[in-house]
Every structure is written in C-alpha cells, then in structure tokens.
Amino acid sequence: MKIVQKKICLLGDFAVGKTSLVRRFVEGRFDDKYLSTIGVKVSRRVIERADHTLNMLIWDLVGGNELSQRETGYLVGTAGALIVCDLTRPETVETLKRYAYHLRVVNPAAALVFIGNKLDLTAERMVTDDTLTAVSASLQAEFQLTSAKTGQNVAEAFLRLAEKMEAS
Amino acid sequence: MAVTPLDMDSIILAAHAGKLFGLIHRIAYAFVTPDLLIQRVSSNFYSALSPIQEGSCIGQPLTSILWELVGAEESLQEILDGSLPYLAFERVNRPDSNGRTTYLDLSVTKLDSSELGRGLLVALEDVTYTAEVEQRLTQNRNELALAREELLQANAQLQRLNRQKTLFLSMAAHDLRGPLSVIRNSGDLIAHIIPTDTYPKALHYLHLIDFQTNHMDWLIRDFLDLDQIEQGILTLRLMEIDMNELILKVVDLARYLAERRELSLELKLTAEPMRLEVDASRIQQALYNLLNNAVKFNRKGGQIVIESFWEGDTAVLRISDNGFGMTAEERDHAFQLYYQGNTNKELQTQGKGLGLYIVKLLVELHGGRITLESEWDKGSRFTIYLPRNP
C-alpha cells in the first residue's frame, strides 16, 4: 500500500497543551506536570487510510507570543496545522490569528484546524464556542474542543486535519 | 595581494583542527547524495542520534533517519541547485537511549568535493547543555507568566466581589435610614407629649434613643461614604468655618456617652482664630469618629483631651485619651479598611474597621494628613493636620 508522509505543526501560546495533545495522540497518555518545550519535537504516528498509509510527522513547536525567525523556519514544508488555545485563558485566543498568518505566509495552502483545549476544566472555562466560531470563520477554518487530559476529541481533531490535508 | 597556495602541512593541520572542533563542539556529519541517500557519516553520527544502531544509516533515505527533514525535500533540492545556501533547524528534541531529551542543532548545506562528489553535508551539533539552561529559563518565565495571569484573574474577581459587597452595604444603609428617621421623629414627639416631671425616667430613655439613633445615622453615613469614596465620586463642599466652633459641636454630640462612662473631656483650644476652608460636615464626621473611639476604647473614669493649635500655616487638631491603647500590630493596621484589632476583654466591643479608614480618606481629601501614636494600656493620640488653604 502506498505510504504518504505529511508534516503537521502544533502552534499556540505556551502552556495551552500542545505537547499534551501530541502525547495523547501518539502515546495515548497524559502527564499533569507542565514542562515547557523549547525548539521542536517531532513525533510520528501512522494512520491507515482507505487506500494508503498516512505517516504523520507531528511538529510540537515552542510556545510563545511571537514566532521568531527560528520558529518560522520550522514551518517549511508544513501541510497542515493545529492551532491551539486554552479554553481557560482568553488571551490565548487573541493570538490564534497571528499563528495562522505566520503559517499561511510560509504555506498558503496549509490546512488549518483550531483547537480549544482543556475542555475538562469546565468550571474555569472562559472561552465560548461563539468566540471560537468567529475566529475560525474569519480564516475559513473550523474548530474542535478537546481535552488532552481525558482524551476527548483529540484523535478526532488530528484525523479531521488529516482529511483536510488530503482533500486540499 | 597574491594568494599563496596552501602546502600539505597546512591542509593536514586544518583537517586535524576540524576534527578537534567537531569533538569539542560535539558535531557529527553525514554526506548525502543528490537523491537524498546517506552515503558516509562521521564516527560520532550514531551516538549523536542514539539509539540508532551503528552502520544502519548507510544507503538509507535521509528522511528515514532524520525525519525532521520530511517536508523539506524541496528546500534540500534548492540547496543542491545552489539557490538556497543552507537549511537549519535549531533545538531539535530527540530522546536518547535512556529516554532523556537531547537537543540538536541540525543544518544542511551543499558539498561539492573531488573525493565525495556533489551532495549535501548534514551537520548535527549536540547543544543539550546550553538548551537545558534555556529550557529552565523558559520554564521559569512561563510559570511566572502563568502565575501573573492567575493573580490578575483573582484580583479582578476580588474587585467584582468587593463592588458587589459595597453595593449591598450601600443599599442596606439606604433602606435603614427610613425606619431610623421614623424612630427619631417618634422619640421627639414623645418628648413633647410626655410630661417629664411625671415620668422622670422617660427623659433618660428619650436621650438614649436620640443618642443611639444619631450614632446609627453616623454609621450609615460611613457605609454610604465608603461606597462613594470607592467609586471616586465623593466631593467636598468647601466653605470657611471656625474650627473651634466645630470642635465644640462635636464634643457636645459625644458628651452624653462620655458622661455615661464617667469620662472627663478636657478642651485645650487655641485662643487664636482658627478659620479654615473645609467641608464642615466631613471634618465633623472625622472628629466625631475619633472622639467616639476615644470614648469607646477607654475605661470608666478615663480622660480625653481635645486640642487645637497652629503649626505655621497648618491647623492641628488632636484627640488624646488614656484608654486601652493599641498594640504595635494594631497601630500599624489601624487605618486599614475592615481591620479589627484584638477585642479587649474589658471592652467587650470591637470596631468595624471602617471609621478610621474613612477619617484618613476624608482628611486626605482636604489635602491633610493624620498621625497616630498609641501604646498598649496607655492610650492613643490622633493628630489631624489641615492646611490653611487646601
């Protein structure tokens, strides 16, 4: 069966849960301890599709308010991205558009899915569906609500991105 | 200047220097053919990418060993064509054979040598030591930023709660004023109806009603003022008054309670005219609060002294007592909102932590200041300084 390799990136502010999402999707586990990522960690997950095998190379990038030249360079060859915000921190929504802009400068055709993570923290949630709908609609993207802690919707978000990449 | 060709010794030395540089900086190399297959690697290449087995790389596609280069095939081709000078990815995280993260700086450039032919030179520099320091710094910075965000959120929540509380107090205070006014007016009516010589005790009780309703009125006013002060809408109605006359008025208001507690009130007012432009009702309120405290926090038979004098262009108003006084801790927090000192066993009463806070704010609104000297079991001395021209 044909093997297709695709590079995808996880973007978003620090501590929104990018590394936890990758760990949940690739290793099926969650660690409560927050450890800041510096640079990039590339993980792999193979997904069997109807007519091919998809080898997803998942780039977990350093989180920060601004992408430096170093981080923008990481985006070369990216077929799609999950741009993540923290549902308990409204300020992490404000930067979603900026990450999307950086990605589209490097690859205008890149597929996009926005993620509102930490869905399990219901009492602390401060970002509404309406806010995420507005942000994603302005960039012709869609959003998913996930919890890396419980695993809710995590695989669905990655698979949705895979579908969008393959459709484009 | 003519370029002198290097002799063989220099070339050998340069090669050794390059090796030494590679060792010191922990740099590993690989040579990759134009069809992106690994052809040769330096001896430390496998350890740099541990846990990859020795010899397993040769002939393999570059992207199967360095999967970080998947998606970058176009850029690699541009390097081979000479249209891109190099490609670099810094701080690439890789787990070593012990599961520990190593950090590599990965760079690719074109190499065209007579010995190896045309291809790509891949360099991997192990920067773990520096990157770990960088990671700790980033971790600390991010944790601080998160803590700051949490504090800001908690602060905003506290401000919302405080506003709700003040609003509630303000509404409650407004609602209390109506019935209070009815009680006071009813007391006045009774005083006119009942012949006090027939019912001698009635006068005493009517005084008590009058005093307590007045006191409650002051408390309500404090609560309402607090609301206005916190909203920043409390304004002063300034007019020139004789401060000594105002002091006498306040002393009259407090005299009943002082007499009940058998306290002596001594007045030492300046003989000089003390005309000041102030909001009379606000200064009266401040003085009343201080005098009321001096009465309340005193023993039976105690003494209170009220003074006024000039210090240059500053009017000084002082209320001293020889009552319970305050501990150093109580003194330090006396003007803090809602601060309540330790209840004195002899006293069986406690302040609400409102009066002194409002006194300080009212004095400061007049451009003045207030000081407090106090010693436990010896008494307290409050001094208000008001400028002649606020």
Side-chain angles (χ1 to χ4, degrees):
Chain A
M1 197 182 282
K2 192 172 90 172
I3 297 174
V4 177
Q5 297 203 101
K6 294 278 184 189
K7 170 179 174 178
I8 69 163
C9 285
L10 270 90
L11 299 169
D13 282 351
F14 66 90
V16 295
K18 298 183 293 296
T19 304
S20 295
L21 285 165
V22 176
R23 192 178 289 137
R24 169 63 71 186
F25 182 60
V26 175
E27 301 170 30
R29 64 186 181 91
F30 175 80
D31 189 344
D32 240 338
K33 193 182 167 210
Y34 169 58
L35 193 68
S36 307
T37 304
I38 63 156
V40 58
K41 184 180 179 188
V42 184
S43 307
R44 288 183 294 185
R45 172 141 178 204
V46 176
I47 299 168
E48 295 303 334
R49 309 291 287 166
D51 58 345
H52 66 276
T53 298
L54 176 63
N55 187 8
M56 286 181 105
L57 279 302
I58 306 162
W59 285 53
D60 175 17
L61 297 181
V62 57
N65 294 328
E66 270 297 335
L67 282 180
S68 68
Q69 200 173 356
R70 181 211 279 183
E71 282 95 45
T72 308
Y74 292 140
L75 301 176
V76 171
T78 302
L82 296 173
I83 305 185
V84 188
C85 71
D86 178 343
L87 293 172
T88 69
R89 290 161 59 206
E91 67 278 9
T92 63
V93 180
E94 290 160 21
T95 52
L96 290 176
K97 281 187 181 177
R98 206 183 307 150
Y99 288 109
Y101 166 78
H102 280 295
L103 177 67
R104 293 232 156 117
V105 165
V106 178
N107 182 3
L112 265 187
V113 172
F114 289 110
I115 285 188
N117 192 35
K118 305 192 186 178
L119 186 57
D120 53 289
L121 300 176
T122 43
E124 291 106 283
R125 182 171 171 182
M126 293 175 81
V127 178
T128 62
D129 282 11
D130 288 346
T131 306
L132 288 172
T133 305
V135 173
S136 26
S138 68
L139 290 154
Q140 290 86 48
E142 58 187 81
F143 74 90
Q144 295 262 353
L145 301 181
T146 64
S147 166
K149 187 171 187 173
T150 64
Q152 187 179 353
N153 285 342
V154 174
E156 287 81 352
F158 278 92
L159 293 176
R160 183 71 194 111
L161 182 66
E163 283 168 14
K164 289 189 75 172
M165 286 189 303
E166 287 170 345
S168 62
Chain B
M1 187 180 79
V3 177
T4 313
L6 287 171
D7 59 21
M8 191 48 72
D9 283 350
S10 301
I11 293 168
I12 291 167
L13 277 174
H16 279 291
K19 187 179 172 185
L20 186 65
F21 184 81
L23 280 172
I24 290 171
H25 290 278
R26 307 187 65 190
I27 301 176
Y29 300 95
F31 178 72
V32 178
T33 60
D35 50 358
L36 303 184
L37 297 175
I38 297 175
Q39 191 181 77
R40 293 180 74 164
V41 296
S42 61
S43 57
N44 58 353
F45 190 79
Y46 298 102
S47 61
L49 288 178
S50 169
I52 286 180
Q53 250 188 338
E54 279 206 29
S56 60
C57 293
I58 306 302
Q60 293 297 312
L62 174 65
T63 51
S64 70
I65 303 299
L66 287 171
W67 54 82
E68 290 83 0
L69 291 170
V70 168
E73 294 85 351
E74 213 173 288
S75 300
L76 296 176
Q77 205 53 56
E78 286 172 359
I79 295 169
L80 281 165
D81 296 345
S83 53
L84 187 70
Y86 69 93
L87 180 68
F89 294 138
E90 291 178 33
R91 309 297 189 263
V92 173
N93 297 208
R94 279 261 179 159
D96 66 11
S97 50
N98 300 316
R100 208 171 138 257
T101 301
T102 55
Y103 295 89
L104 302 171
D105 280 358
L106 188 165
S107 49
V108 185
T109 188
K110 187 181 173 184
L111 184 70
D112 208 345
S113 82
S114 52
E115 191 189 340
L116 296 168
R118 182 170 157 271
L120 295 170
L121 178 69
V122 178
L124 294 172
E125 181 177 2
D126 186 335
V127 290
T128 302
Y129 180 75
T130 320
E132 279 178 347
V133 175
E134 198 181 315
Q135 196 280 332
R136 281 196 293 273
L137 282 172
T138 306
Q139 178 91 20
N140 290 342
R141 186 198 63 197
N142 290 355
E143 282 176 0
L144 271 175
L146 285 174
R148 184 176 171 274
E149 276 176 27
E150 277 176 25
L151 272 175
L152 286 173
Q153 279 181 17
N155 192 33
Q157 173 70 359
L158 279 174
Q159 280 182 3
R160 272 195 298 275
L161 289 172
N162 189 43
R163 185 77 204 103
Q164 282 175 7
K165 178 261 320 166
T166 310
L167 197 64
F168 171 77
L169 283 177
S170 162
M171 284 165 63
H174 268 296
D175 289 350
L176 283 172
R177 273 204 153 159
L180 193 63
S181 163
V182 173
I183 293 169
R184 186 165 39 210
N185 292 340
S186 302
D188 286 348
L189 282 172
I190 293 168
H192 282 97
I193 295 166
I194 295 179
T196 48
D197 47 347
T198 316
Y199 302 100
K201 274 197 169 179
L203 191 62
H204 165 73
Y205 290 123
L206 286 171
H207 265 302
L208 204 58
I209 289 171
D210 187 50
F211 174 79
Q212 293 296 354
T213 48
N214 273 333
H215 184 65
M216 267 185 84
D217 207 34
W218 284 106
L219 283 175
I220 288 169
R221 187 173 177 175
D222 278 352
F223 279 123
L224 291 173
D225 281 352
L226 181 66
D227 183 35
Q228 289 198 326
I229 289 166
E230 288 189 345
Q231 288 188 64
I233 55 170
L234 185 80
T235 49
L236 299 178
R237 289 181 203 149
L238 297 177
M239 57 185 289
E240 194 178 281
I241 57 146
D242 183 332
M243 188 55 72
N244 285 337
E245 275 181 23
L246 188 74
I247 292 172
L248 290 172
K249 197 174 166 187
V250 173
V251 169
D252 267 351
L253 282 169
R255 193 178 296 283
Y256 174 74
L257 187 62
E259 284 172 359
R260 273 189 67 203
R261 294 179 66 97
E262 295 172 24
L263 301 171
S264 74
L265 288 173
E266 188 182 348
L267 285 162
K268 292 181 181 173
L269 305 183
T270 175
E272 290 177 59
M274 193 173 245
R275 298 201 69 79
L276 281 175
E277 198 174 78
V278 295
D279 183 327
S281 70
R282 297 302 178 189
I283 294 299
Q284 181 180 333
Q285 182 184 359
L287 289 172
Y288 180 80
N289 270 338
L290 294 180
L291 196 51
N292 189 44
N293 274 0
V295 171
K296 199 162 59 174
F297 299 103
N298 214 329
R299 294 182 187 85
K300 203 171 177 181
Q303 190 185 24
I304 297 169
V305 181
I306 301 115
E307 298 168 81
S308 72
F309 54 92
W310 284 103
E311 266 184 14
D313 261 357
T314 303
V316 183
L317 318 175
R318 180 172 287 160
I319 296 177
S320 317
D321 67 74
N322 61 351
F324 301 117
M326 299 181 196
T327 62
E329 192 197 338
E330 286 170 333
R331 193 182 54 224
D332 290 346
H333 296 92
F335 293 108
Q336 198 176 306
L337 183 60
Y338 299 130
Y339 176 76
Q340 295 179 326
N342 298 319
T343 309
N344 189 300
K345 281 178 189 166
E346 289 180 64
L347 188 59
Q348 294 182 333
T349 184
Q350 199 170 20
K352 284 143 205 77
L354 194 61
L356 289 180
Y357 174 74
I358 288 177
V359 169
K360 184 170 181 283
L361 287 174
L362 290 176
V363 170
E364 285 173 354
L365 271 176
H366 282 84
R369 65 191 173 90
I370 182 167
T371 62
L372 163 63
E373 297 153 81
S374 188
E375 202 172 330
W376 176 245
D377 213 27
K378 298 224 168 129
S380 301
R381 184 158 81 169
F382 288 90
T383 310
I384 291 175
Y385 299 87
L386 291 171
R388 190 189 292 271
N389 301 307

